[in-house]
Amino acid sequence: MQQHSIRLWDLPTRLFHWLLTALVAGAFLTGLTGGNWMVWHGRLGLLILGLLTFRLLWGVVGSTYARFIQFVPGPKTLLTYLRGGWQGIGHNPLGALSVLVLLGVLLLQTFSGLFANDDIAFNGPLQDLVTKRTSDWLSGLHRQAIWPIGALITLHVAAVLFHTYVHNDDLITPMLNGMKQVTAPGARNATGGGWVALVTALAVALLAMWIAGGGLLPSPLPVPVPTW
């Protein structure tokens, strides 16, 4: 069948993907290095939270193939894929599940970081809202989760490379330029996800970052200056 190009991934989805890749890599490096880099680790965590919030909203109001309703598989679809009978555009059912799992674990990781501490000089922006015992528990979860997250990311990258170079289904180029070569005659360009949706999703993401950064917490009382 003759191949033709369609617009698959919109620009916001592609920017989200590559920005999240860079920020997660930075969070890994700063977290493992520790020390003064923990300040940057906290900042990167807030940025990651903002990106994840944006993606959750974009999965509702974004363009066709970025919407969860388009690619989240049900049991029947997953079974059809495993039997080799699935035909579709965008994320395949297993790829969709991996996206959902990664989004979920990264959300949990950023959430735990908001209340964490390193027992030295770094406290999460919302650490004061929980007891020290709870903060220590969440800190332990936050530290231990980096290895399962690293394993999931490695598996995700390996799957992309496998599909691209073994199955000859290029998953990398569409995430760079947004275009996908397809043979299905009924495949259509992505639509939707206009400026109103984009501005709304960005505004909510910024609001989430502000709240997570302690924006709703009362300002600390000024330290009195002693008079002599």
Side-chain angles (χ1 to χ4, degrees):
M1 298 180 68
Q2 187 176 4
Q3 284 194 338
H4 63 284
S5 294
I6 64 167
R7 289 191 299 274
L8 180 63
W9 301 123
D10 55 55
L11 182 59
T13 299
R14 287 178 279 141
L15 287 176
F16 161 82
H17 181 275
W18 296 114
L19 283 173
L20 185 64
T21 300
L23 292 176
V24 168
F28 263 87
L29 291 174
T30 54
L32 292 173
T33 303
N36 293 333
W37 286 104
M38 290 302 297
V39 175
W40 281 102
H41 183 75
R43 292 169 180 170
L44 291 172
L46 286 175
L47 289 172
I48 290 171
L49 177 62
L51 277 179
L52 294 173
T53 303
F54 171 83
R55 185 62 183 93
L56 290 178
L57 289 168
W58 199 243
V60 178
V61 301
S63 65
T64 306
Y65 302 107
R67 293 180 183 177
F68 297 129
I69 196 173
Q70 194 278 334
F71 69 80
V72 174
K76 184 178 180 180
T77 302
L78 185 58
L79 185 59
T80 301
Y81 174 78
L82 293 175
R83 289 174 173 173
W86 180 81
Q87 298 291 328
I89 307 298
H91 292 300
N92 64 53
L94 280 183
L97 288 179
S98 74
V99 168
L100 295 178
V101 170
L102 279 172
L103 290 176
V105 296
L106 288 174
L107 275 172
L108 290 175
Q109 185 72 342
T110 54
F111 177 81
S112 63
L114 297 176
F115 304 92
N117 70 87
D118 66 354
D119 279 327
I120 302 174
F122 177 80
N123 293 319
L126 303 182
Q127 190 259 347
D128 289 340
L129 295 179
V130 298
T131 64
K132 182 63 167 59
R133 182 177 180 180
T134 300
S135 177
D136 289 342
W137 176 69
L138 289 172
S139 300
L141 289 180
H142 192 79
R143 286 190 293 268
Q144 295 166 12
I146 64 173
W147 305 116
I149 291 174
L152 286 171
I153 293 173
T154 301
L155 183 62
H156 178 76
V157 172
V160 169
L161 295 176
F162 178 80
H163 277 276
T164 299
Y165 296 108
V166 178
H167 278 188
N168 294 317
D169 180 16
D170 187 1
L171 302 182
I172 300 173
T173 302
M175 196 54 75
L176 292 171
N177 63 17
M179 305 301 293
K180 175 77 172 177
Q181 294 291 323
V182 298
T183 56
R188 297 289 182 265
N189 289 323
T191 59
W195 283 105
V196 173
L198 178 60
V199 171
T200 301
L202 286 173
V204 175
L206 289 172
L207 177 62
M209 290 173 58
W210 178 73
I211 294 174
L216 294 179
L217 298 180
S219 300
L221 295 175
V223 177
V225 178
T227 57
W228 303 96

